[in-house]
Amino acid sequence: MRIHGLHKNMHRLYAYARTQDCLDVYRKRYEDGVRRWEKLKAENVCDSTCQDICGMSRATYYRHKKILKDLNKGSVPPSKKPRNLNKPHWGEAELQLVKVRRENPTYGKEKIAIILKRDHGQILSESTVGRLLTSLKNKGLVQKSPSALRTKRKRRLKAMQNLGLSRIIKR
């Protein structure tokens, strides 16, 4: 099957070359420290001195050494991203915030935080209320405040106004 005029093996070759580029980036990241450590060990320097000179612990050295060994086999090191990310869950506070904001669309995060604490018993910091408002705006549950700052108007130079050039600039 041909995609965009290229034979399927060309795409495989591109995928292989792309992975090799990724592996080269990882190699550059880890090789320098491992080489320095091994050079020091060849000169019979103790591990604590190697740690100080290379700027990495003994465990990090062995981890980097293992990653380089795996790179030579052609496997990419595992991702450091956590498998499970905690999603924010505000629950009842979110519903109360929507209600307060819809009743008073001009109130900002500071005032809403005070109202939630005073009337509803919800203790939320101003920054948390701000994050909540932003997420609710993205969901479309809350509108941007009508009193929010507008874009700045362009300034006109007084000298140009005096010369009567402001009409020319507007065009």
Side-chain angles (χ1 to χ4, degrees), residues 25-26 31 69 76-77 93 106-107 115 119 137 146 156 170:
V25 170
Y26 283 115
E31 271 182 345
K69 186 173 138 185
V76 179
T106 58
Y107 286 180
I115 290 171
D119 298 342
K137 284 177 199 170
R156 289 187 233 161
K170 287 182 183 177

Side-chain angles (χ1 to χ4, degrees), residues 18-28 71 74-77:
R18 192 182 74 234
T19 56
Q20 292 305 311
D21 289 342
C22 292
L23 294 177
D24 288 342
V25 170
Y26 283 115
R27 270 191 204 99
K28 288 178 186 175
L71 286 172
S75 66
V76 179

